[in-house]
Amino acid sequence: MKSSLEKEQILRRKAELESAQTRLQLQVLTEECTKLRQQVQELKALMAQHHTSSSQQPTNSRSGLPGCPSSSQHKYHFERAFVVSQAGSCRVMAYCDVLSCLVMSQPSPQSTLIPGYGIKMMSAVNLNSSQYVPIHSKQIRGLAFSNRSDGLLLSAALDNTLKLTSLATNTVVQTYNAGRPVWSCCWCLDNTNYIYAGLVNGSILVYDLRDTTSHVQELATEKSRCPVVSLSYLPRMASAALPHGGLVSGTLEGACFWEQKAIDSYQPHHLPLESGGCTDLQTEARTRHCLATFRPNRNRNCLQCVVMELTCTPLTEAADDIVCSCRPVQTLTAGPTCKLLTKNAIFQSPEDDGSILVCAGDEASNSAMLWDAGTGSLLQKLTDDLPVLDVCPYTVNHSSFLATLTEKAVKIYRWQ
C-alpha cells in the first residue's frame, strides 16, 4: 500500500514537472511568435517603401511621401454613432487589437453613487457597447494598449495616478502614485514590462511592472517645465531614417526623442520644432514620421498640422554615437480656433499602398479633417455636432475603420 502511494506521488511530481516545462516552452514560443510578427511587419514596411519609391505613384517633391493614387475611390463612410456620456467630459480613447474593442474615457454616469471617471468599452466586431468601468477619481488624460496578450489598459489621470486595468475582469490591478497630475502615458513597445507617465511639470516617470512600489527612473530636461501632453514609443526596426527605438515626448513648448540606449539608459535629442503652441505630437512607427499640431498665435492665423520625418546622423564612426532630429515635409492647415487640447493621428492608408494619412479635429467647423500627407490634399471632412477631441484608426476582420470622439459621443466610419 505504501509503495503504491509513493509510486503515485512520484508519477504526480513527474507530471507536474512536465506540465511546468510545457508551459515554459509555450511562453518562449509565444514570445518568439510575437518577435517574428514584428519582423514581418518591418519587412512589409521596407517592401512598401521600396515599391513606392520605384513605382510611378504621384509624389509631392517637397514631402517625398507617396501620395494616394488618384484612381482610388475609397473613403470613410459613416457606420454608426454612440452616445458615451450625456453629461459630456469624454476626452480620449484607445483601441485594443487583442480584444478587438474600443475604449472611451467618460465621467461616472452615476456621480452621486460612484464619483470619478472611467471607461466604456465598445466591441469592434458587433459594435455593441458594454457597461461603465470606474478607474480614476479625476479626469482621464491618456489611454494606451500594448501588444501584450493580456490586453491590459494603461491610463493616466489628473488624480496623480497611473493605473493598469484588466478588461477581462473590469478591475484595476495596479496603481502607481506619481505625486503630480499625469497628462499622458504609453507602453515601451520593445519591452512591455515598462510604462511611461508624462507629468504636469514636464518630467517623465519610467515604471517597471515588476516593481509595484514606485518609478524606477525619471527623465527630465532643463528646457521644459510644461505639461507632457503626448507620449508615444517608437520600437526599434530596420529603418534607414531612424533604426533606434525610443520615446517621443511633446510639450506645449517643444518635443524630445529619448533614444533608449539600454534598459535604464536614455539619451535626449531635442527636436527642432517651432517654439510655442504645440498641442499634440503623434508618430507613425513604420515610416518614422511624426505629426505636430500647433494652435493659432500671432505668427499663425490658423491651426497647423506639420508632418515631419525623424532622422538620425552619425557623429562618429561608432554606430551608437548619433544625433536625432526631424525635418518638416508637409504643412496642413485647418480653422482659426483651437481652445481645446485635441489628439490627432498619422497612419498608414487603408489602401496599403505606402501612402500616409493625417486626421485632425478642426474646432472651428466641428469636424475631423482627413488629408493625404504626401500630396497635402484634403480627402474628406467628417462633420460632427461638437468639436472632435480624439481620432483613432483601427482594423478588425480585414476592414479599416476610423473613430472620432467628442465630449459626448463617438462616431464610427468604415473605409470602403
Side-chain angles (χ1 to χ4, degrees):
M1 183 73 178
K2 185 177 179 180
S3 62
S4 61
L5 179 61
E6 289 176 348
K7 287 181 180 179
E8 184 66 27
Q9 288 175 340
I10 292 172
L11 289 173
R12 183 171 181 175
R13 284 196 295 269
K14 183 179 178 181
E16 289 175 348
L17 179 61
E18 291 176 350
S19 176
Q21 290 175 339
T22 303
R23 286 197 301 270
L24 181 61
Q25 290 173 350
L26 177 61
Q27 182 180 350
V28 171
L29 290 173
T30 302
E31 292 175 354
E32 287 295 323
C33 182
T34 301
K35 290 179 182 178
L36 288 172
R37 285 177 178 172
Q38 184 177 353
Q39 291 174 3
V40 169
Q41 292 299 323
E42 292 175 4
L43 288 172
K44 284 183 177 179
L46 288 174
M47 290 173 65
Q49 290 176 7
H50 175 73
H51 172 72
T52 52
S53 63
S54 61
S55 68
Q56 299 299 316
Q57 287 183 339
T59 59
N60 184 290
S61 59
R62 183 166 166 261
S63 72
L65 285 169
C68 293
S70 57
S71 59
S72 174
Q73 300 298 316
H74 292 168
K75 63 179 182 178
Y76 283 109
H77 295 265
F78 174 74
E79 187 90 353
R80 197 167 175 182
F82 299 89
V83 174
V84 182
S85 172
Q86 290 283 5
S89 293
C90 298
R91 188 81 191 192
V92 291
M93 59 182 169
Y95 180 73
C96 179
D97 279 315
V98 175
L99 302 176
S100 297
C101 72
L102 189 70
V103 298
M104 296 77 65
S105 70
Q106 68 163 107
S108 172
Q110 298 176 333
S111 56
T112 54
L113 297 175
I114 311 174
Y117 289 77
I119 60 160
K120 180 173 285 186
M121 289 187 293
M122 186 201 76
S123 169
V125 178
N126 55 25
L127 300 183
N128 289 332
S129 60
S130 65
Q131 75 276 17
Y132 167 78
V133 181
I135 301 177
H136 290 275
S137 61
K138 292 185 179 179
Q139 190 180 61
I140 297 173
R141 300 304 293 261
L143 295 171
F145 288 101
S146 72
N147 53 8
R148 292 168 62 104
S149 59
D150 52 18
L152 282 179
L153 171 66
L154 177 66
S155 60
L158 301 182
D159 61 3
N160 299 357
T161 64
L162 189 71
K163 296 192 178 187
L164 289 165
T165 303
S166 169
L167 298 188
T169 60
N170 291 343
T171 54
V172 175
V173 295
Q174 180 62 45
T175 298
Y176 292 105
N177 192 328
R180 291 183 174 89
V182 189
W183 279 55
S184 55
C185 62
C186 74
W187 293 82
C188 174
L189 300 182
D190 285 323
N191 186 340
T192 53
N193 284 319
Y194 293 89
I195 53 178
Y196 305 95
L199 304 187
V200 68
N201 67 342
S203 64
I204 301 167
L205 299 183
V206 185
Y207 292 90
D208 185 340
L209 300 189
R210 294 161 294 190
D211 184 346
T212 60
T213 57
S214 181
H215 63 276
V216 295
Q217 194 173 355
E218 181 175 1
L219 308 178
T221 63
E222 297 178 357
K223 290 190 174 183
S224 179
R225 288 294 178 265
C226 285
V228 181
V229 294
S230 55
L231 278 178
S232 57
Y233 190 92
L234 284 177
R236 292 187 294 269
M237 67 175 291
S239 167
L242 185 69
H244 308 277
L247 187 67
V248 180
S249 64
T251 73
L252 296 174
E253 290 180 344
C256 183
F257 174 65
W258 295 87
E259 176 197 356
Q260 187 170 19
K261 304 182 84 65
I263 288 295
D264 58 351
S265 176
Y266 295 83
Q267 176 67 41
H269 301 270
H270 292 282
L271 302 179
L273 301 187
E274 186 176 342
S275 61
C278 181
T279 61
D280 185 51
L281 187 66
Q282 301 295 328
T283 57
E284 205 294 305
R286 287 192 194 177
T287 62
R288 305 318 230 194
H289 284 82
C290 63
L291 175 71
T293 304
F294 297 90
R295 62 174 26 146
N297 61 14
R298 287 177 296 179
N299 300 321
R300 296 181 297 269
N301 59 5
C302 61
L303 179 76
Q304 286 188 354
C305 298
V306 182
V307 180
M308 294 177 295
E309 181 185 16
L310 294 167
T311 61
C312 67
T313 305
L315 288 176
T316 62
E317 293 183 0
D320 293 335
D321 197 8
I322 62 168
V323 170
C324 298
S325 185
C326 64
R327 66 179 186 89
V329 295
Q330 191 69 263
T331 299
L332 311 165
T333 59
T337 59
C338 180
K339 297 178 181 179
L340 304 169
L341 291 179
T342 61
K343 293 191 177 296
N344 305 316
I346 177 170
F347 55 100
Q348 297 274 332
S349 168
E351 295 293 284
D352 200 21
D353 55 6
S355 58
I356 301 296
L357 302 183
V358 167
C359 188
D362 179 34
E363 195 173 306
S365 62
N366 288 347
S367 63
M369 314 279 276
L370 183 72
W371 291 278
D372 179 344
T375 64
S377 59
L378 179 65
L379 301 179
Q380 280 186 267
K381 190 173 182 179
L382 309 173
T383 58
D384 216 312
D385 300 327
L386 295 167
V388 174
L389 302 178
D390 197 358
V391 293
C392 181
Y394 63 92
T395 301
V396 59
N397 293 336
H398 306 292
S399 294
S400 297
F401 296 87
L402 181 72
T404 62
L405 180 70
T406 68
E407 67 170 357
K408 291 186 176 183
V410 62
K411 283 187 175 181
I412 308 297
Y413 298 86
R414 179 196 289 264
W415 182 267
Q416 56 188 16

